Amino acid sequence: MKKAVLMILLCGFIFSGLIGCNKYEPLNKAVSSYTVTDVENVDADIYDVSPVGATVIIKDTNENPYVYGEWYKIEKEENGKWYDVETVIEEYGFNEIGYLVNENNEVKFEINWEWLYGELTQGNYRILKEVNRQYIAVEFAISEEI
C-alpha cells in the first residue's frame, strides 16, 4: 500500500514539474491570425521609421497592378512568434479608397499609427498590408536611439 501511495505521489511530482516547464502564451496577447505570403511581382519597403509612424512603399510590376487600400495592421515579434499590437482605441476604421501605382509602379503610404497604436516601444515589428485578399509584411525595428 505504501509503495502505491509513494508511486502516485512521485508521478504527481513529475507531472507537475513537466507542466511547470512548458512554455505558454500570455493570456493578454493574441497570436497573429494572418498568413503572410509572397505576392508575385509585389515588393514593399519601409522608410523613415519612428515610434509613431513610417513610410511604406509598395512596388507592383504586374501587367495589371493591384489596387491598394489604407488598411494596415501592426504586429510585434516575441520569442519567434508574431502578436497583435493592442490598439489604443476600440472602435476604428479605414477609408475604403483604392490607390493605384504611379508611373514608377509604386504606391506610397505615409502612415502615422499613433492614433491607433500609440507610440511603439523598443522591439521588432511588422506592418501588414492587404494585396488581392492576401497579406504582405514589411519588418522593422524600433530601438532606443530613435
Side-chain angles (χ1 to χ4, degrees):
M1 179 71 174
K2 285 185 179 182
K3 282 186 178 181
V5 172
L6 286 173
M7 189 60 110
I8 291 171
L9 287 173
L10 181 60
C11 288
F13 285 125
I14 291 172
F15 182 71
S16 65
L18 290 174
I19 289 174
C21 293
N22 285 340
K23 291 183 178 179
Y24 66 95
E25 301 300 335
L27 295 176
N28 61 343
K29 291 185 181 179
V31 175
S32 175
S33 60
Y34 292 87
T35 301
V36 174
T37 59
D38 288 327
V39 178
E40 189 172 350
N41 300 318
V42 174
D43 291 307
D45 288 309
I46 193 163
Y47 302 94
D48 304 323
V49 175
S50 79
V52 296
T55 300
V56 174
I57 297 178
I58 298 174
K59 185 160 184 90
D60 183 337
T61 57
N62 286 293
E63 187 174 322
N64 295 308
Y66 297 109
V67 177
Y68 297 89
E70 289 186 355
W71 179 90
Y72 65 89
K73 179 156 190 66
I74 296 179
E75 298 177 333
K76 186 174 185 180
E77 188 270 330
E78 292 181 19
N79 299 318
K81 292 187 180 182
W82 292 101
Y83 294 91
D84 295 341
V85 173
E86 280 191 46
T87 58
V88 295
I89 56 176
E90 287 186 32
E91 295 186 26
Y92 61 91
F94 293 91
N95 291 322
E96 289 290 329
I97 188 168
Y99 294 95
L100 301 173
V101 297
N102 62 18
E103 64 278 355
N104 297 320
N105 295 338
E106 296 177 342
V107 61
K108 179 179 180 179
F109 295 95
E110 292 181 6
I111 301 172
N112 180 331
W113 55 69
E114 188 173 24
W115 70 274
L116 184 57
Y117 294 103
E119 188 172 313
L120 299 181
T121 60
Q122 182 177 353
N124 294 320
Y125 294 87
R126 70 181 181 182
I127 190 164
L128 303 174
K129 291 290 289 173
E130 186 176 4
V131 180
N132 194 33
R133 290 183 242 146
Q134 300 173 76
Y135 299 96
I136 60 172
V138 182
E139 295 184 23
F140 62 97
I142 300 292
S143 62
E144 288 184 40
E145 293 89 41
I146 293 180

